[in-house]
Amino acid sequence: MNDAESCRADVWLWRARFFKTRALAAKHLEAGRVRLTRSGQETRLEKPARPVKVGDRLVFALGGRLVAVQVAALGERRGPADEARSLYSTLEES
């Protein structure tokens, strides 16, 4: 996969409207609060620049609840809420 098929984790979380600013998303990532699952391998994201790709699964706590999503698209910009929701699908945590 090349760079066009991935996106920085902080940028994606911001575009998907989980955080109001990229700085807040980066802080959350640096604190090691986001888990990434790709090809069955689970890792903790601790750097905002780590790439996120379509098909990746992310799990993180936000506002006192656990959020589990699968990346459906990377997006081009931070658009309206409807556009942001099209970037991911929610997963059921088992």
Side-chain angles (χ1 to χ4, degrees):
M1 288 198 171
N2 60 23
D3 290 342
E5 295 173 14
S6 66
C7 175
R8 284 176 58 112
D10 61 336
V11 171
W12 188 86
L13 287 167
W14 173 69
R15 284 179 183 165
R17 294 187 163 266
F18 288 111
F19 296 93
K20 286 188 177 191
T21 65
R22 264 183 72 186
L24 281 173
K27 225 178 246 182
H28 205 73
L29 285 156
E30 286 167 353
R33 294 189 185 141
V34 180
R35 289 191 327 249
L36 164 79
T37 305
R38 178 185 297 152
S39 307
Q41 293 286 105
E42 187 175 295
T43 55
R44 192 174 296 278
L45 295 180
E46 293 172 338
K47 294 184 179 171
R50 280 282 171 82
V52 171
K53 299 176 180 178
V54 172
D56 287 353
R57 294 171 180 235
L58 301 174
V59 179
F60 53 95
L62 194 62
R65 63 188 175 89
L66 203 58
V67 178
V69 296
Q70 181 159 355
V71 178
L74 300 176
E76 296 292 317
R77 65 188 184 126
R78 180 178 166 96
D82 287 341
E83 189 177 309
R85 275 192 293 275
S86 73
L87 299 181
Y88 62 90
S89 58
T90 53
L91 302 167
E92 295 299 316
E93 265 297 277
S94 52

Coordinates of all heavy atoms in Angstrom, one line a residue:
M1 N 0.8 -1.2 0.0 CA 0.0 0.0 0.0 C 0.9 1.2 0.0 O 1.9 1.3 0.6 CB -0.9 0.0 1.3 CG -2.0 -1.0 1.2 SD -3.2 -0.5 2.4 CE -4.4 -1.7 2.0
N2 N 0.4 2.3 -0.7 CA 1.2 3.5 -0.7 C 0.6 4.6 0.2 O -0.4 4.3 0.8 CB 1.4 4.0 -2.2 CG 0.0 4.3 -2.8 OD1 -1.0 4.6 -2.1 ND2 0.0 4.3 -4.1
D3 N 1.2 5.7 0.3 CA 0.8 6.8 1.2 C -0.6 7.3 0.9 O -1.3 7.7 1.8 CB 1.8 7.9 1.1 CG 3.1 7.6 1.8 OD1 3.1 6.6 2.6 OD2 4.1 8.3 1.6
A4 N -1.0 7.2 -0.4 CA -2.4 7.7 -0.8 C -3.5 6.8 -0.2 O -4.6 7.2 -0.1 CB -2.5 7.7 -2.3
E5 N -3.1 5.6 0.3 CA -4.1 4.7 0.9 C -4.0 4.7 2.4 O -4.6 3.8 3.0 CB -3.8 3.3 0.3 CG -4.0 3.2 -1.2 CD -3.6 1.8 -1.7 OE1 -3.4 0.9 -0.9 OE2 -3.5 1.7 -3.0
S6 N -3.3 5.7 3.0 CA -3.3 5.8 4.4 C -3.4 7.2 4.8 O -3.3 8.1 4.0 CB -2.0 5.2 5.0 OG -0.9 5.9 4.6
C7 N -3.7 7.4 6.1 CA -3.9 8.8 6.6 C -3.3 8.8 8.1 O -3.4 7.8 8.7 CB -5.4 9.1 6.6 SG -5.9 10.6 7.4
R8 N -2.8 9.9 8.5 CA -2.3 10.0 9.9 C -3.5 9.8 10.8 O -4.6 10.2 10.6 CB -1.8 11.5 10.1 CG -0.5 11.8 9.5 CD -0.2 13.2 9.8 NE -0.2 13.6 11.2 CZ 0.9 13.9 11.9 NH1 2.1 14.0 11.3 NH2 0.8 14.2 13.2
A9 N -3.2 9.1 11.9 CA -4.2 8.7 12.9 C -4.9 9.9 13.5 O -6.1 10.0 13.6 CB -3.6 7.8 14.0
D10 N -4.1 11.0 13.8 CA -4.7 12.2 14.4 C -5.6 12.9 13.4 O -6.7 13.3 13.7 CB -3.7 13.1 15.0 CG -2.7 13.7 14.0 OD1 -2.5 13.0 12.9 OD2 -2.1 14.7 14.2
V11 N -5.2 12.9 12.1 CA -6.0 13.6 11.1 C -7.3 12.8 10.9 O -8.4 13.4 10.8 CB -5.2 13.7 9.8 CG1 -6.1 14.2 8.6 CG2 -4.0 14.6 9.9
W12 N -7.3 11.5 10.8 CA -8.5 10.7 10.6 C -9.5 10.8 11.8 O -10.7 11.0 11.5 CB -8.1 9.2 10.4 CG -9.3 8.4 10.0 CD1 -9.8 8.3 8.7 CD2 -10.3 7.8 10.8 NE1 -11.0 7.6 8.7 CE2 -11.3 7.3 10.0 CE3 -10.4 7.6 12.2 CZ2 -12.4 6.6 10.5 CZ3 -11.5 6.9 12.7 CH2 -12.4 6.4 11.9
L13 N -9.0 10.8 13.0 CA -9.9 10.9 14.2 C -10.5 12.3 14.2 O -11.7 12.4 14.5 CB -9.1 10.7 15.5 CG -8.7 9.3 15.7 CD1 -7.6 9.2 16.9 CD2 -9.9 8.4 16.1
W14 N -9.8 13.3 13.7 CA -10.3 14.7 13.6 C -11.4 14.8 12.5 O -12.5 15.3 12.7 CB -9.2 15.6 13.5 CG -9.5 17.0 13.2 CD1 -10.1 17.9 14.1 CD2 -9.3 17.8 12.0 NE1 -10.3 19.1 13.5 CE2 -9.8 19.1 12.2 CE3 -8.8 17.4 10.7 CZ2 -9.8 20.0 11.2 CZ3 -8.8 18.4 9.7 CH2 -9.2 19.7 10.0
R15 N -11.0 14.2 11.3 CA -12.0 14.3 10.2 C -13.2 13.5 10.5 O -14.3 13.9 10.1 CB -11.3 13.6 9.0 CG -10.3 14.5 8.3 CD -9.7 13.8 7.1 NE -8.7 14.6 6.4 CZ -7.9 14.1 5.6 NH1 -7.9 12.8 5.2 NH2 -6.9 14.9 5.0
A16 N -13.1 12.4 11.3 CA -14.3 11.6 11.6 C -15.1 12.2 12.8 O -16.1 11.6 13.2 CB -13.9 10.2 12.0
R17 N -14.6 13.4 13.2 CA -15.3 14.2 14.3 C -15.4 13.5 15.6 O -16.3 13.7 16.4 CB -16.7 14.6 13.8 CG -16.6 15.6 12.6 CD -18.0 16.1 12.3 NE -17.8 17.3 11.5 CZ -17.8 18.6 12.0 NH1 -17.9 18.8 13.2 NH2 -17.6 19.6 11.1
F18 N -14.3 12.7 15.9 CA -14.3 12.2 17.3 C -13.7 13.2 18.2 O -13.9 13.2 19.4 CB -13.5 10.9 17.3 CG -14.2 9.7 16.7 CD1 -13.8 9.2 15.5 CD2 -15.4 9.2 17.3 CE1 -14.5 8.1 14.9 CE2 -16.0 8.1 16.7 CZ -15.6 7.6 15.5
F19 N -12.9 14.1 17.7 CA -12.2 15.2 18.4 C -12.4 16.5 17.8 O -12.5 16.6 16.5 CB -10.7 14.9 18.6 CG -10.4 13.7 19.4 CD1 -10.2 12.5 18.7 CD2 -10.3 13.7 20.7 CE1 -10.0 11.3 19.4 CE2 -10.1 12.5 21.5 CZ -9.9 11.3 20.8
K20 N -12.6 17.6 18.6 CA -12.8 18.9 18.0 C -11.6 19.5 17.3 O -11.7 20.3 16.4 CB -13.2 19.9 19.1 CG -14.7 19.7 19.5 CD -15.1 20.8 20.4 CE -16.6 20.5 20.8 NZ -17.2 21.6 21.5
T21 N -10.4 19.1 17.8 CA -9.2 19.6 17.1 C -8.2 18.5 16.9 O -8.2 17.4 17.6 CB -8.5 20.7 18.0 OG1 -8.0 20.0 19.2 CG2 -9.4 21.8 18.3
R22 N -7.3 18.7 16.0 CA -6.2 17.7 15.7 C -5.3 17.6 16.9 O -4.8 16.5 17.3 CB -5.4 18.1 14.5 CG -5.8 17.4 13.2 CD -4.9 17.8 12.1 NE -3.6 17.2 12.2 CZ -2.6 17.4 11.4 NH1 -2.8 18.3 10.4 NH2 -1.4 16.8 11.5
A23 N -5.1 18.7 17.6 CA -4.3 18.7 18.8 C -4.8 17.8 19.9 O -4.1 17.0 20.6 CB -4.1 20.1 19.4
L24 N -6.2 17.8 20.1 CA -6.8 16.9 21.1 C -6.7 15.5 20.7 O -6.4 14.6 21.5 CB -8.3 17.3 21.2 CG -8.6 18.5 22.1 CD1 -10.1 18.8 22.0 CD2 -8.2 18.2 23.5
A25 N -6.8 15.2 19.4 CA -6.7 13.8 18.9 C -5.2 13.4 19.1 O -5.0 12.2 19.5 CB -7.0 13.8 17.4
A26 N -4.3 14.2 18.8 CA -2.9 13.9 19.0 C -2.5 13.6 20.5 O -1.8 12.6 20.8 CB -2.0 15.0 18.5
K27 N -3.1 14.4 21.4 CA -2.9 14.2 22.8 C -3.4 12.8 23.2 O -2.8 12.1 24.0 CB -3.6 15.3 23.6 CG -2.8 15.9 24.7 CD -3.5 17.0 25.3 CE -2.8 18.3 25.0 NZ -3.4 19.5 25.7
H28 N -4.6 12.5 22.7 CA -5.2 11.2 23.1 C -4.3 10.0 22.6 O -4.2 9.0 23.3 CB -6.6 11.1 22.4 CG -7.6 10.2 23.1 ND1 -8.2 10.5 24.3 CD2 -8.1 9.0 22.7 CE1 -9.0 9.5 24.6 NE2 -8.9 8.6 23.7
L29 N -3.8 10.2 21.4 CA -2.9 9.1 20.8 C -1.6 9.0 21.6 O -1.2 7.9 21.9 CB -2.6 9.5 19.3 CG -3.8 9.2 18.4 CD1 -3.7 10.0 17.1 CD2 -3.8 7.7 18.0
E30 N -1.0 10.2 21.9 CA 0.3 10.2 22.6 C 0.1 9.5 24.0 O 1.1 9.0 24.5 CB 0.8 11.6 22.7 CG 1.4 12.1 21.4 CD 1.6 13.6 21.4 OE1 1.3 14.3 22.4 OE2 2.2 14.1 20.4
A31 N -1.1 9.6 24.6 CA -1.3 9.0 25.9 C -1.5 7.5 25.8 O -1.7 6.8 26.8 CB -2.5 9.7 26.5
G32 N -1.5 7.0 24.5 CA -1.6 5.5 24.3 C -3.0 5.0 24.5 O -3.2 3.9 24.9
R33 N -4.0 5.9 24.3 CA -5.4 5.5 24.5 C -6.1 4.9 23.3 O -7.3 4.8 23.4 CB -6.1 6.7 25.0 CG -5.6 7.2 26.4 CD -6.5 8.3 26.9 NE -6.0 8.8 28.1 CZ -6.1 10.1 28.5 NH1 -6.7 11.0 27.7 NH2 -5.6 10.5 29.6
V34 N -5.4 4.7 22.2 CA -6.1 4.2 21.0 C -5.4 2.8 20.7 O -4.2 2.8 20.5 CB -6.0 5.2 19.9 CG1 -6.7 4.6 18.6 CG2 -6.6 6.5 20.2
R35 N -6.2 1.8 20.5 CA -5.7 0.5 20.0 C -6.1 0.3 18.6 O -7.3 0.6 18.2 CB -6.3 -0.6 20.8 CG -5.8 -0.7 22.2 CD -6.2 -2.0 23.0 NE -7.5 -2.5 22.6 CZ -8.6 -2.5 23.4 NH1 -8.5 -2.1 24.6 NH2 -9.7 -3.1 23.0
L36 N -5.2 -0.2 17.8 CA -5.4 -0.4 16.4 C -5.3 -1.9 16.1 O -4.4 -2.6 16.6 CB -4.4 0.3 15.5 CG -4.2 -0.1 14.1 CD1 -5.3 0.5 13.2 CD2 -2.8 0.3 13.5
T37 N -6.3 -2.5 15.3 CA -6.2 -3.9 14.9 C -6.1 -3.9 13.4 O -7.0 -3.4 12.7 CB -7.4 -4.7 15.4 OG1 -7.5 -4.5 16.8 CG2 -7.2 -6.2 15.1
R38 N -5.1 -4.5 12.8 CA -4.9 -4.6 11.4 C -4.4 -6.0 11.1 O -3.4 -6.4 11.7 CB -3.9 -3.6 10.9 CG -3.6 -3.7 9.4 CD -2.5 -2.7 8.9 NE -2.9 -1.3 9.2 CZ -2.1 -0.3 9.4 NH1 -0.8 -0.6 9.4 NH2 -2.5 0.9 9.5
S39 N -5.0 -6.7 10.3 CA -4.7 -8.1 9.9 C -4.5 -9.0 11.1 O -3.6 -9.8 11.2 CB -3.3 -8.1 9.1 OG -3.4 -7.2 8.0
G40 N -5.4 -8.8 12.1 CA -5.4 -9.7 13.3 C -4.3 -9.3 14.3 O -4.3 -9.8 15.4
Q41 N -3.5 -8.3 14.0 CA -2.4 -7.8 14.9 C -3.0 -6.6 15.7 O -3.4 -5.6 15.0 CB -1.2 -7.4 14.2 CG -0.4 -8.6 13.5 CD 0.3 -9.4 14.6 OE1 -0.1 -10.5 14.9 NE2 1.4 -8.9 15.1
E42 N -2.9 -6.6 17.0 CA -3.4 -5.5 17.8 C -2.2 -4.7 18.3 O -1.3 -5.3 18.9 CB -4.3 -5.9 18.9 CG -4.9 -4.7 19.6 CD -5.9 -5.2 20.7 OE1 -6.9 -5.8 20.4 OE2 -5.6 -4.9 21.9
T43 N -2.2 -3.4 18.1 CA -1.1 -2.5 18.6 C -1.7 -1.3 19.2 O -2.8 -0.9 18.9 CB -0.1 -2.1 17.5 OG1 -0.9 -1.5 16.5 CG2 0.7 -3.3 16.9
R44 N -1.0 -0.7 20.1 CA -1.4 0.6 20.7 C -0.7 1.7 19.9 O 0.5 1.7 19.7 CB -0.9 0.6 22.2 CG -1.5 1.7 23.0 CD -1.1 1.5 24.5 NE -1.6 0.3 25.1 CZ -2.9 0.2 25.6 NH1 -3.7 1.1 25.5 NH2 -3.2 -0.9 26.1
L45 N -1.6 2.7 19.5 CA -1.0 3.8 18.8 C -0.6 4.8 19.8 O -1.3 5.3 20.6 CB -2.1 4.4 17.9 CG -2.6 3.5 16.7 CD1 -3.7 4.3 15.9 CD2 -1.5 3.1 15.8
E46 N 0.7 5.2 19.7 CA 1.2 6.2 20.6 C 1.8 7.4 19.9 O 2.4 8.3 20.5 CB 2.3 5.5 21.5 CG 1.7 4.5 22.4 CD 2.7 3.7 23.2 OE1 3.8 3.6 22.8 OE2 2.3 3.2 24.3
K47 N 1.7 7.4 18.6 CA 2.2 8.5 17.8 C 1.1 9.0 16.9 O 0.5 8.2 16.1 CB 3.5 8.2 17.0 CG 4.6 7.8 17.9 CD 5.9 7.5 17.1 CE 7.0 7.2 18.0 NZ 8.2 6.7 17.3
P48 N 0.9 10.3 16.8 CA -0.2 10.9 16.0 C 0.0 10.6 14.5 O -0.9 10.5 13.7 CB -0.2 12.4 16.2 CG 0.5 12.5 17.5 CD 1.5 11.4 17.7
A49 N 1.3 10.4 14.1 CA 1.6 10.3 12.7 C 1.5 8.8 12.2 O 1.6 8.6 11.0 CB 3.0 10.7 12.4
R50 N 1.1 7.9 13.1 CA 0.9 6.5 12.6 C -0.1 6.4 11.6 O -1.2 7.1 11.7 CB 0.5 5.6 13.8 CG 1.7 5.2 14.7 CD 2.5 4.1 14.1 NE 3.7 3.8 14.7 CZ 3.8 3.0 15.8 NH1 2.8 2.5 16.4 NH2 5.0 2.8 16.3
P51 N 0.1 5.6 10.5 CA -0.9 5.6 9.5 C -2.1 4.7 9.8 O -2.0 3.7 10.5 CB -0.2 4.9 8.3 CG 0.9 4.1 8.9 CD 1.3 4.9 10.2
V52 N -3.3 5.2 9.4 CA -4.6 4.4 9.5 C -5.0 4.1 8.1 O -4.9 5.0 7.2 CB -5.6 5.3 10.2 CG1 -7.0 4.6 10.2 CG2 -5.2 5.6 11.6
K53 N -5.4 2.9 7.8 CA -5.8 2.5 6.5 C -7.3 1.9 6.5 O -7.8 1.5 7.6 CB -4.9 1.4 6.0 CG -3.5 1.8 5.9 CD -2.5 0.7 5.5 CE -1.1 1.2 5.4 NZ -0.1 0.2 5.0
V54 N -7.9 1.9 5.4 CA -9.3 1.4 5.2 C -9.2 0.0 5.7 O -8.4 -0.8 5.3 CB -9.8 1.6 3.8 CG1 -11.1 0.8 3.6 CG2 -9.9 3.0 3.4
G55 N -10.2 -0.4 6.5 CA -10.3 -1.8 7.0 C -9.7 -1.9 8.4 O -10.0 -2.9 9.1
D56 N -8.9 -0.9 8.9 CA -8.4 -1.0 10.2 C -9.5 -0.8 11.3 O -10.5 -0.2 11.0 CB -7.4 0.2 10.5 CG -6.1 0.0 9.8 OD1 -5.9 -1.1 9.2 OD2 -5.2 0.9 9.8
R57 N -9.3 -1.4 12.4 CA -10.3 -1.3 13.5 C -9.6 -0.5 14.6 O -8.5 -0.8 15.0 CB -10.7 -2.7 14.0 CG -11.4 -3.5 13.0 CD -11.6 -4.9 13.5 NE -12.4 -5.6 12.5 CZ -13.5 -6.3 12.7 NH1 -14.0 -6.3 13.9 NH2 -14.2 -6.9 11.7
L58 N -10.3 0.5 15.1 CA -9.8 1.3 16.2 C -10.7 1.2 17.4 O -11.9 1.1 17.3 CB -9.7 2.8 15.8 CG -8.9 3.1 14.6 CD1 -9.1 4.6 14.2 CD2 -7.4 2.9 14.9
V59 N -10.1 1.1 18.6 CA -10.9 1.1 19.9 C -10.3 2.1 20.8 O -9.1 2.1 21.0 CB -10.8 -0.3 20.5 CG1 -11.6 -0.3 21.8 CG2 -11.4 -1.4 19.6
F60 N -11.1 3.0 21.4 CA -10.7 4.0 22.3 C -11.8 4.4 23.2 O -13.0 4.3 22.8 CB -10.0 5.2 21.6 CG -10.9 5.8 20.5 CD1 -11.7 6.9 20.8 CD2 -10.9 5.3 19.2 CE1 -12.5 7.4 19.8 CE2 -11.7 5.8 18.2 CZ -12.5 6.9 18.5
A61 N -11.4 4.9 24.4 CA -12.4 5.5 25.3 C -12.7 6.9 25.0 O -11.7 7.7 24.8 CB -12.0 5.3 26.7
L62 N -13.9 7.4 25.0 CA -14.2 8.7 24.7 C -15.5 9.1 25.5 O -16.5 8.5 25.3 CB -14.5 8.9 23.2 CG -14.5 10.3 22.6 CD1 -13.2 11.0 22.8 CD2 -14.8 10.3 21.2
G63 N -15.3 10.1 26.3 CA -16.5 10.6 27.1 C -17.1 9.5 28.0 O -18.3 9.4 28.2
G64 N -16.2 8.7 28.6 CA -16.6 7.6 29.5 C -17.2 6.4 28.8 O -17.7 5.5 29.5
R65 N -17.2 6.3 27.5 CA -17.7 5.1 26.9 C -16.6 4.6 25.9 O -15.8 5.3 25.4 CB -19.0 5.3 26.1 CG -18.9 6.3 25.0 CD -20.4 6.6 24.5 NE -20.3 7.7 23.5 CZ -20.1 7.5 22.2 NH1 -20.0 6.3 21.7 NH2 -20.0 8.5 21.4
L66 N -16.7 3.3 25.6 CA -15.7 2.7 24.7 C -16.2 2.8 23.3 O -17.4 2.4 23.0 CB -15.5 1.2 25.1 CG -14.3 0.5 24.6 CD1 -13.0 1.3 25.2 CD2 -14.2 -0.9 25.1
V67 N -15.4 3.3 22.4 CA -15.8 3.4 21.0 C -15.0 2.4 20.2 O -13.8 2.4 20.3 CB -15.5 4.9 20.5 CG1 -15.8 5.0 19.0 CG2 -16.2 5.9 21.3
A68 N -15.7 1.6 19.4 CA -15.0 0.6 18.5 C -15.5 0.9 17.1 O -16.7 0.8 16.8 CB -15.4 -0.8 19.0
V69 N -14.6 1.2 16.2 CA -15.0 1.6 14.8 C -14.1 0.9 13.8 O -13.0 0.5 14.2 CB -15.0 3.1 14.5 CG1 -16.0 3.8 15.4 CG2 -13.6 3.7 14.7
Q70 N -14.6 0.7 12.6 CA -13.8 0.2 11.5 C -13.7 1.3 10.5 O -14.7 1.9 10.1 CB -14.4 -1.1 10.9 CG -13.6 -1.6 9.7 CD -13.8 -3.1 9.4 OE1 -14.6 -3.7 10.1 NE2 -13.2 -3.6 8.4
V71 N -12.5 1.6 10.0 CA -12.3 2.6 9.1 C -12.8 2.2 7.7 O -12.5 1.2 7.2 CB -10.7 2.9 8.9 CG1 -10.5 4.0 7.9 CG2 -10.1 3.3 10.3
A72 N -13.8 3.0 7.2 CA -14.5 2.7 6.0 C -13.9 3.6 4.8 O -13.9 3.2 3.7 CB -16.0 3.0 6.1
A73 N -13.4 4.8 5.2 CA -12.8 5.7 4.2 C -11.9 6.6 4.9 O -12.0 6.8 6.1 CB -13.9 6.5 3.5
L74 N -11.0 7.3 4.2 CA -10.0 8.2 4.8 C -10.5 9.6 4.8 O -10.1 10.4 5.7 CB -8.7 8.0 4.1 CG -8.1 6.6 4.2 CD1 -6.8 6.6 3.4 CD2 -7.8 6.2 5.6
G75 N -11.3 10.0 3.8 CA -11.8 11.4 3.7 C -10.8 12.3 3.2 O -9.6 12.1 3.2
E76 N -11.3 13.4 2.7 CA -10.4 14.4 2.1 C -10.3 15.7 3.0 O -9.4 16.5 2.8 CB -11.0 14.9 0.7 CG -11.0 13.8 -0.3 CD -9.6 13.3 -0.8 OE1 -8.7 14.2 -1.0 OE2 -9.3 12.1 -0.9
R77 N -11.3 15.8 3.8 CA -11.4 17.1 4.6 C -12.3 16.8 5.9 O -12.8 15.7 6.0 CB -12.1 18.2 3.8 CG -13.5 17.8 3.5 CD -14.2 18.7 2.5 NE -15.6 18.3 2.4 CZ -16.7 19.1 2.6 NH1 -16.5 20.3 2.9 NH2 -17.9 18.6 2.4
R78 N -12.3 17.8 6.8 CA -13.2 17.6 7.9 C -14.6 18.3 7.5 O -14.7 19.5 7.4 CB -12.7 18.4 9.1 CG -13.6 18.3 10.3 CD -12.9 19.0 11.5 NE -13.9 19.2 12.6 CZ -14.0 18.5 13.6 NH1 -13.3 17.4 13.7 NH2 -14.9 18.8 14.6
G79 N -15.5 17.4 7.1 CA -16.7 17.9 6.5 C -17.8 17.9 7.6 O -17.6 17.7 8.8
P80 N -19.1 18.0 7.1 CA -20.2 18.0 8.0 C -20.4 16.6 8.7 O -19.8 15.6 8.2 CB -21.4 18.3 7.1 CG -21.0 18.2 5.8 CD -19.5 18.3 5.8
A81 N -21.2 16.5 9.7 CA -21.4 15.3 10.5 C -21.7 14.1 9.6 O -21.2 13.0 9.8 CB -22.4 15.5 11.6
D82 N -22.6 14.3 8.7 CA -23.0 13.2 7.8 C -21.8 12.6 7.0 O -21.7 11.4 6.9 CB -24.1 13.6 6.8 CG -25.5 13.8 7.5 OD1 -25.6 13.2 8.6 OD2 -26.3 14.5 6.9
E83 N -21.0 13.5 6.5 CA -19.8 13.1 5.8 C -18.8 12.4 6.7 O -18.2 11.4 6.4 CB -19.1 14.3 5.2 CG -18.0 14.0 4.2 CD -17.4 15.3 3.6 OE1 -18.2 16.1 3.1 OE2 -16.2 15.5 3.7
A84 N -18.7 12.9 8.0 CA -17.8 12.3 8.9 C -18.3 10.8 9.3 O -17.4 9.9 9.4 CB -17.7 13.1 10.2
R85 N -19.6 10.6 9.4 CA -20.1 9.3 9.8 C -19.8 8.3 8.6 O -19.8 7.1 8.9 CB -21.6 9.4 10.1 CG -21.8 9.8 11.6 CD -23.3 9.5 11.9 NE -24.2 10.4 11.3 CZ -24.5 11.7 11.7 NH1 -23.9 12.2 12.8 NH2 -25.3 12.4 11.0
S86 N -19.7 8.8 7.4 CA -19.4 7.9 6.3 C -18.0 7.3 6.3 O -17.6 6.4 5.6 CB -19.7 8.5 5.0 OG -18.7 9.5 4.7
L87 N -17.1 7.9 7.2 CA -15.7 7.5 7.2 C -15.5 6.2 8.1 O -14.4 5.6 8.0 CB -14.8 8.6 7.8 CG -14.8 9.9 7.1 CD1 -13.8 10.9 7.8 CD2 -14.4 9.7 5.6
Y88 N -16.5 5.8 8.8 CA -16.4 4.6 9.7 C -17.7 3.9 9.9 O -18.7 4.4 9.6 CB -15.8 5.0 11.1 CG -16.7 6.0 11.8 CD1 -17.7 5.5 12.7 CD2 -16.6 7.3 11.7 CE1 -18.5 6.3 13.4 CE2 -17.4 8.2 12.4 CZ -18.4 7.7 13.2 OH -19.2 8.5 13.9
S89 N -17.6 2.6 10.3 CA -18.8 1.9 10.8 C -18.5 1.4 12.2 O -17.3 1.1 12.5 CB -19.0 0.7 9.8 OG -17.9 -0.1 9.8
T90 N -19.5 1.5 13.0 CA -19.3 1.1 14.4 C -19.3 -0.4 14.5 O -20.0 -1.1 13.8 CB -20.4 1.7 15.3 OG1 -21.7 1.3 14.8 CG2 -20.3 3.2 15.4
L91 N -18.5 -0.9 15.5 CA -18.4 -2.3 15.8 C -18.9 -2.6 17.2 O -18.9 -1.7 18.0 CB -16.9 -2.7 15.7 CG -16.2 -2.5 14.4 CD1 -14.7 -2.7 14.7 CD2 -16.6 -3.4 13.4
E92 N -19.4 -3.8 17.4 CA -19.8 -4.2 18.7 C -18.6 -4.7 19.4 O -18.0 -5.6 18.9 CB -20.9 -5.3 18.6 CG -22.2 -4.8 17.9 CD -22.9 -3.7 18.7 OE1 -22.9 -3.7 20.0 OE2 -23.3 -2.7 18.1
E93 N -18.4 -4.2 20.6 CA -17.3 -4.7 21.4 C -17.7 -6.0 22.1 O -18.8 -6.1 22.7 CB -16.9 -3.7 22.5 CG -15.8 -2.8 22.1 CD -14.5 -3.5 21.9 OE1 -13.7 -3.8 22.9 OE2 -14.1 -3.8 20.7
S94 N -16.9 -7.1 21.9 CA -17.3 -8.4 22.5 C -16.6 -8.5 23.9 O -15.6 -8.0 24.1 CB -16.9 -9.5 21.6 OG -15.6 -9.4 21.2

